[in-house]
Each structure stands twice: as C-alpha cells, then as structure tokens.
C-alpha cells in the first residue's frame, strides 16, 4: 500500500546518522506494535523499557539514546519530528481521482482549477473558485463566492458559507462548518432581533480544522484565522475572533466573540475563552480553563477544579460557598493573635 | 449589492432625529472600518475615542452623545438597536430562487407550499409539510412527517428527524440536528437496553438554532423550545428539556434531560445544566457555570474557577482538596482563641 | 401506528404478575400524560402523587407499590426495565424499505448484503461492506474499505472515514463522524507539521453513538470502542482512546488522546478526561468534572465548582487566587496558638 525505503534512503532525504545495517522498512509503528519491516522511535525516556522489547526492524533515536539499542537506527536531534517526516514520506494522502463526480452539482459560474477532485453528491455555488489540486469530498456544500486556495482538502460533509475565503493547503475534517452566522441578537424590548452577519471568514494558508468544528462569519468586520493554525474537533469560534499564526487548540474549546488571540498559543481541550478579550502571543491555556480576562503576558495559565472522590468533594466543595467568611475569620484570628501577643508582651514586661 | 438610503429615508422608516446633512449611505460598518458611504454607531462610551477618528459618513448616536460628533447623524434612544434595524434594512438575506432543485429528492407525499426553495441534493421525507417561502438549502435531510412553518430557513446539512415540528420563521444553521434520539438507556443487569425515544421536538416561532447544535426528541413526552429562543452553535439539548420563550444560550452549552428552563433566561458559553432541574424566568447563568440544582429566583448565577498562572494555581488549587481540614483548623483556632481570651481575662482579673 | 397488547400478552412475553383486568394497551406514556389505552409506570417514589392522579389504563409497579393503585397493573422487580421492554415491544424502529435508493452513489466494489437499505443521496466507497439488514439513511458518507456489521443503523449525515470498522447492531445518530484524523502535530521549529493518522477506529457490537459526536482514528495504533458502549451527542473521542465495554458517556464529554477507560464506567455531561491516563473499570465521573490524573480505583469522582449568586461568587471566588496564603496564615496561627498555650502553661506553672 505504501512504498518501501531503506534507512539510507531516509538519511539521504531527511538527514540524520545511520548506525547499523541498511535495512528496508515499509511502515512506521509504535515500539509496542512494530514488526520487523517497520521503524519506530523513542522520544520519551518513559518508554525506554519498550525499546528493549520492541520487534521493530529499525529505530529513530536521539543522540543521548545512541547506544540504548543495537538495532539498525537513525540518530536525529529531534527523533519525534524525524519520525513524523518518515511517517509522512511513507503515508502520503490517498488522493481520489481528479475530476468532478457526475452526481456533484457545480454552478456553471464556479471556477474549478486544474487537478481538482469533487466527490459524489457535493455541491459548489455560484462564482466560487476551487484552487488547483484541491480535493472536495462527498457531500461537501460550498456556497456562493467562496474561494479555496490550491492544494486544499475538504473531507465529507463540510459546509462553507458564501463569501468565505480559505488559503492554500487547508485541511478541513468532516462536517465542520465555516461561515455560519454569528450569535448576534439585539433585544428590542420584547424579543431578540437578529443582527445580520455581514462579515466573512478569512483563513490563511496551511490551516487544519477539525471535525464538527464551527467558525462563525464576522458581524460587521471579518473573523480571521491566520496561517498555520490548528483547530481540533468540536471547537466553536465565534464572530470576529482573530487567531494568530500557528496557534493550536485542542478539542471542545470555545472562543466567544471579538476575542483576539495571539500567535504561537496553545489551548488544552474544553478551554473556554470569553469575548472581547486579548491574549498575547505564546500564551498556553491548560485544559478546562475558563479565561475571563485578557492575558497580556506569555506563559501558562490554568483554572482547573481538581477532581476528588465524591465523598471528599462533598466535604470540601461546600466551603467554597463561604470562603469569604473563612478568610474573615482568619483575619479576625490574626488580629486577636496580634493583640494576644501584645498582651503577653505586657505580661512578660 | 445592497441599496442606498438617505438618512432621511432611515428616519422616515425607523424614527430618530436627523442632525446635519442628509447624506446617502450604502452599508453599515464599525467605527474603525467605516468609509464615507457607510454609517456607524456608538453605544459603548468605551469607543468614544474611535468616534473622533472614524471616517464614517454618518453615525447613529444616543441622546447623550448628541454633540460628540459634528458628522451627519441620527439620534436614537437605543443606538445599538437602531443600528441593527439599519443593518437589517441594508442587508436582507439573499434568497435563492424558489423551486425544487432537480437533484433534490422530495417524497411525492410531501406538501411543498408556495415560494419554497429546496436546494441541490436535499431530501424531504414522506408526508412532510414545508411552509410557504421556506428555504431548504443544499444537502438538508428532512425526515418523514416533519412540519416546518412558513418563512423558515435551513442552512446546508441540517438534519430534521421524523415527526419534528418547527414553527414559523425558524432559522437553523448548518449541520444542526433536530430530533435525534435522546440518551435513554436502561441497565438490564449485563448491558444497556436502548429505550425507544417516542417523543417529538416541538419548536415555536422565530427561533434560531446554531451550527452543529443538537436537540434530542423526547423519550415519552416532547422536547419543547418556545417562541423566540436563540441557541448558538455546538449546543446540546437533551430529551424532554423545555426552554421558555426568548431565552438565549451561547455556544457549547449543554442541558441534560427533563430540565425545565424559564423564559427570558440567558446562558454564557459552555454552561452545563444538569437534568431534572427547574430554572425560573429571567435567570442568567454565566459562562462555564455548572448548574447542579434548581434555581427558583431570577438573578445572575456563577460558578467559574478563576484562571491563574500555572505556578500560582499549583500553589492554590491543592488546598481545595483539603478545604474541609482548613475550615476545621480555623474553627479549632477560634475555639482556642475564645479560651485564650477567657484565660487572659482570668489573668487580668 | 403501533400494535395493541393485552396485559396478559405482556406477562407472557416479559414475565411479571398481572393484577386486575386484562385490558388492552396501545402505547406507553408518563403518569402525567397517559390516556386510558396507555400503560405507565412508577419507579421513583417521588412521583407517587402522580400515581393517584394518572389516567393511565394500566401500570407497571414494583413489588413494594403493589397496592398503591387499584388499576390493572403488572408487578415487576424492576419496573423501569420492564416498562422499557414494553416500550420496545410497542415501538419497533420504522425501517425504511430495503434496497438502494436510485440517487445514492455506491461503489461497484462495495459489498451490500441482504436487506440493506441505503437512503437518498447517500454514498458508499470502494471495497466497503455493509452487513445484512443495516440501514444507511439519507446523505450518509461511507468511505473506502469500511466494514459495518449486520443490523446497524446510520441516521442521516453520518460520515465514516476509510478503513473504519463497526460491529453488529451499531446505531449512529445524525451527523456523527467516525474516523476523522486525530489532532497530531509536531512542531518543526517554525510551524506545525501534520502527523499522518494511519490508525483506524474499531467499534464493537451493540454500540450507540450520538448526534454530532466525533471519534478520531488512531495515530499509529487504533482507537477502540468496545461492545455495548453508549456515547451521547457532541462527544469528542481523540485518537488512540480505548473505551471498555458498556461504558456510557453523557453529552459534550471530551476524552483526550491515548487515554484508556475501563468497562462499566459512567460519565456525566461535559466531563473532560485528559490524555494518556488510565481509568479503572466502574469509575463514575460526575458532570463537568475534569479528570487530570489516572483513576485506578472504582468509585465516584467529582470536581464541580458550585454555582452561587454572582454577588456571593464575587465575594468567595477571589480567595481561590490566594488560598495558599490563607492556609499559610492558618498554619502560622496554629504555631502561635501552640506557643501561646505553652506560654500560658508557663504562666500557670
């Protein structure tokens, strides 16, 4: 299914130092499951024991692990990254054939560039542009006046609303939605009045968007996702959010409207970022954390409630509801303690 | 793309007081991005500085801001609401042509009323009714015996299960699901037995439902969403939930089964409401809050764990696991403190 | 719509003891809404008052409730389970006709077994196998080399990526995604490099998966869901997660990569389980709880921040940011308190 490479082929293409026999490998695998025609790697010393037991035919190791195995191996400064490159080499995406499936519905005014593949039962709206070599899988819904750059890949069921723009080499996983109306409602005294959402979604190059993730169009201005951003599954990006380049968010995270997130940030799963905030570059927000104020300094931020047994939680959590009273008692005790010390000072005097 | 209006046209239609030249405007925009043929607004004094710098051709201002600009302007009691009405006037939804796209699959027994638009590759089941003027976009899946009122709009990929009923003028964003089976499982001693979900989803008029939001059908009775409700993206409404009129929920919120939520409530993003609870009218739940008990009084409720730097969090959060012990120590200190004071009283006597 | 059963028919099929007239019933219903031709049940003594007021024609009661009503009734050890079985008997799923809808696109190399129903505008990829009697509803997207066991049911809009395997009798609700790429990214010094996700999703028998739930394929090894698992809506299962048999998760829960969850576990809604953890069998995690470390003992675990009025929360939550300082003060007071007692001992000596 994939090609076969000798270790010397890999070193020639990707660098690194070959030690031992120049064996051929067919696939990448974990230390625990690798077979004789597969290559594995050690990046985390925690798995060192597995290194002794692996049946892998070859290994990628860091310089410090040079002699931890006598198998055929490639030494690389960053074995995880090197292994990823081997993985990518051995497992290129399986492209469907170019061309428009006869069951797809493509507007006559759409511009479909060279080598594009449009799958069964997909649809493309008026005046949209699909860049060269892009893959639109089955059942995708591309609205009117959408622009998708070259080399993109939309998995099945993706919906792109009118006027959205995706850069080059975007990957969008199944059933993601880009360009839906933001949550704009004005109270008119008796009901919510819908605020037309007339901004767009603008996405840079080399962005990946996860399955069932939703990105709302802007209200007046645009929602912007910069180059190289990574969004996992089930993420919600509200209108007019701006996400800086190479920021990565794990699954189930939500970002409320008009928040501006810097570059090179990371977010653990189920984080929630409130609206109209600003997060600096290189801010790391840990999983489950609600960010309720702007964060202007790079660093790692957390707000996780620690898990306990139900019994311990019952005993402890109830005090949260009267923490202020507890703090007041302590202050009072300190005051009295000071007086006592003073009193005793007097007594000792 | 949109029409052009003079300020006097706006005042004639929407009220307000015109001050200055009766200029023509073409579009709405933010203060920061507006051009000479665009109208902007000031509702939040925080943006007053932008008012001085804006290139907008006209403004909507509140009475107190009457003289904060000398540009052509309309005074309105609620400038945000007024601006929204101008926005709606300038940006009517772009309706696709009426008619059934030849690639759609519509059951012969379905009743499709006047002016309905059914997009490419959509499907409508047996005995369903699509009300006059409703738009069903590409790839929507309408089950059997579904009723959708007049003037509705279903964006691409929406799934409506059999027997669901939507009122008039409902807007449903892409890939939302209405009427899926609720999470009903009975433990039979060795496995989960699926409980058939035979209730329906009943949705009132003028409801908007966000992208990828899911609303489960009732188990025995129905799940009910009343008139004017607003649900953002990625929301989960479980079986037999009842949501009162004009309640609004921000993205990623979850409501567990059989909970009854009042009218005019608001929920911040990622709130989680447990099952079998009752929330009164006009309850506001802030973002990220888990509601674990009924709330019978109107008001604002919160349960957010505050974010800190990782270092500070490590120092502080660990104490949550032994808050009960801390409170006990304080009680003990108070007891002793009382005794000490008594002792000293004796000494001083 | 459904058949009619006499109580004696039910007892013959399902066991239990019939007391009173052998009436015919047509449907199941709640105590509050049941009519004369419907059967209801009492499992929770909380609803005992409703028992007196119900218009139900018959009841399922536990032994202890034998004489709480004089209506025709069936006594069963577990009335909830018994009632569920009656429900299932009266409400078999409405199967669409077998056969492939002419608008569906099914690869010539796919193997479609006997009695399969493939709905309008669905698609099935190359070399896939759809087991006997399985229902694939409108607009489902089955990739290449997918295997789905017999008796399955995929609701509209479900996407199954290539190489996924589902066991027998799986039910998948609308717009769920199985087999999407996991969130695998390696930092190459200037950008995220996508890690090819070459593992599969393997799902056992009798699994139900909720609407808009996403299950990522494995990175190198497979993501595994064992027999009888129940996943509610909007759940995210990351790559290489392993979920043991009969575990049930409520809506909006997220499980990060490589975490291994035991059998017979339960998770409340919006729980978040971090990656690379291990959870033992029979662990119950309550709603909204973030699990940040492995749990090796069966039991019930919680980490919920309690909800308060906004005013109370403001007073209390701020102390969380300096809980360590508070604990230090208490320790200091205890130290001094001890010294004071010692001092007083001296004085009293």
């Amino acid at each position: 299914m994939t090609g076969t490479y000798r270790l010397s082929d890999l070193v020639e293409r990707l660098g690194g130092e070959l030690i031992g026999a120049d064996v051929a490998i067919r696939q990448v695998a974990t230390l625990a499951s690798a077979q004789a025609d597969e290559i594995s790697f050690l990046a985390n010393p925690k798995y060192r024991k597995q290194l002794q037991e692996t049946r892998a035919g070859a290994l990628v190791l860091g310089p410090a692990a040079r002699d931890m195995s006598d198998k055929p191996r490639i030494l690389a400064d960053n074995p995880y990254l090197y292994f990823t490159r081997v993985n990518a080499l051995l497992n290129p995406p399986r492209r469907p054939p170019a061309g428009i499936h006869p069951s797809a519905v493509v507007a006559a005014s759409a511009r479909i560039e060279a080598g594009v593949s449009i799958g069964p039962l997909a649809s493309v709206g008026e005046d949209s542009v699909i860049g060269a070599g892009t893959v639109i899988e089955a059942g995708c819904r591309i609205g009117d006046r959408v622009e998708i750059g070259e080399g993109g890949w939309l998995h099945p069921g993706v919906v792109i609303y009118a006027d959205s723009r995706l850069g080059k080499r975007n990957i969008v996983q199944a059933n993601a939605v880009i360009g839906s109306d933001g949550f704009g409602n004005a109270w008119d005294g008796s009901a919510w009045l819908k605020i037309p959402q007339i901004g767009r979604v603008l996405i840079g190059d080399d962005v990946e968007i996860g399955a069932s993730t939703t990105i709302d169009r802007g209200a007046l201005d645009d929602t912007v996702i910069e180059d190289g951003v990574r969004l996992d599954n089930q993420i919600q990006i509200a209108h007019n959010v701006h996400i800086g380049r190479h920021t990565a968010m794990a699954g189930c995270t939500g970002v409320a409207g008009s928040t501006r997130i810097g570059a090179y940030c990371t977010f653990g799963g189920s984080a929630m970022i409130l609206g109209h905030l600003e997060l600096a570059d290189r801010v790391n927000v840990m999983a489950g954390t609600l960010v309720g104020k702007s964060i202007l300094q790079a660093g790692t931020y957390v707000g996780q409630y620690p898990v306990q047994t139900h019994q311990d939680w019952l005993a402890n959590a109830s005090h949260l509801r009267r923490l202020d009273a507890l703090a007041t008692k302590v202050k009072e005790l300190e005051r009295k303690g000071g007086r006592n010390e003073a009193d005793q000072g007097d007594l000792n005097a």
Side-chain angles (χ1 to χ4, degrees), chain A:
Chain A
M1 206 168 298
T2 59
T4 292
Y5 288 81
R6 293 199 167 275
L7 298 188
S8 58
D9 296 335
L10 298 178
V11 167
E12 190 176 331
R13 287 164 180 259
L14 307 173
E17 179 190 352
L18 170 58
I19 303 182
D22 185 20
V23 298
I25 53 118
R26 185 192 54 79
Q27 189 49 287
V28 291
T30 58
L31 287 170
S33 68
Q35 302 300 315
D37 56 355
E38 294 177 323
I39 188 167
S40 191
F41 76 110
L42 181 81
N44 186 339
K46 180 177 154 192
Y47 297 106
R48 189 173 166 172
K49 183 161 177 290
Q50 289 185 21
L51 192 64
Q52 306 313 317
E53 297 168 358
T54 186
R55 287 169 295 176
L59 296 164
V60 182
L61 302 176
R66 179 188 186 103
D67 299 320
M68 284 188 195
S69 170
D70 56 6
K71 287 183 188 273
R73 56 205 186 274
I74 296 172
L75 297 190
D77 289 341
N78 183 337
Y80 183 61
L81 181 60
Y82 192 99
F83 180 79
T84 295
R85 292 196 163 116
V86 175
N87 186 346
L89 192 65
L90 288 168
N91 298 285
R94 298 191 189 201
R95 296 182 58 84
I100 300 175
H101 192 277
S103 65
V105 176
V106 177
S109 60
R111 191 172 89 224
I112 310 299
E113 298 188 345
V116 164
S117 168
I118 298 184
L121 304 160
S123 53
V124 179
E126 300 288 348
D127 299 311
S128 287
V129 180
I130 312 296
T134 286
V135 174
I136 310 281
E137 289 205 55
C140 286
R141 310 287 159 217
I142 315 296
D144 299 336
R145 300 173 304 283
V146 168
E147 295 181 22
I148 300 178
E150 65 183 47
W153 196 307
L154 276 56
H155 288 270
V158 168
V159 177
I160 315 276
Y161 278 60
D163 298 303
S164 302
R165 290 192 191 176
L166 284 70
K168 299 173 183 174
R169 297 171 299 278
N170 276 206
I171 298 172
V172 187
Q173 300 291 334
N175 284 355
V177 174
I178 296 172
S180 40
D181 280 357
F183 198 57
N185 301 287
W187 185 250
D188 79 355
S190 62
W192 295 107
L193 182 64
K194 180 178 174 69
I195 301 175
Q197 303 289 300
I198 63 174
R200 297 166 298 173
V201 175
L202 306 183
I203 301 180
D205 296 335
D206 301 300
V207 169
E208 182 162 353
I209 294 166
S212 268
T213 281
T214 49
I215 304 178
D216 282 340
R217 65 195 312 111
L220 294 171
D221 295 332
D222 301 317
T223 302
V224 177
I225 313 285
E226 292 188 357
D227 292 351
V229 165
R230 291 292 191 270
L231 302 180
D232 195 1
N233 298 352
Q234 306 272 10
I235 286 174
Q236 153 66 0
I237 305 295
H239 49 190
N240 299 106
V241 166
H242 187 118
I243 302 182
R245 63 192 188 282
H246 306 300
T247 280
M249 280 186 195
C252 307
T253 288
V255 185
S258 300
T259 281
R260 194 177 174 92
I261 293 172
Y264 307 104
C265 295
T266 63
F267 294 79
S270 288
M272 172 73 210
I273 320 302
L274 298 194
H276 296 274
L277 303 182
E278 185 169 346
L279 274 66
D281 292 352
R282 299 183 194 280
V283 164
N284 308 307
V285 174
M286 289 179 71
T289 298
L290 182 140
V291 177
K293 54 177 188 176
S294 289
I295 298 179
L296 303 178
Q297 294 292 325
T300 299
Y301 296 84
V302 204
Q304 295 171 347
Y305 192 99
V307 65
Q308 294 195 285
T309 64
H310 190 209
Q311 193 177 347
D312 286 347
W313 178 83
L314 283 174
N316 290 301
S318 58
H319 296 290
L320 278 176
R321 287 215 179 89
R322 34 181 205 271
L323 209 47
D324 190 46
L326 187 71
T328 302
K329 282 179 189 174
V330 171
K331 198 172 288 177
E332 179 66 10
L333 284 164
E334 286 185 306
R335 200 184 54 77
K336 286 184 185 165
R339 207 188 56 200
N340 287 356
E341 288 194 65
D343 289 348
Q344 286 157 15
D346 288 344
L347 286 167
N348 294 335

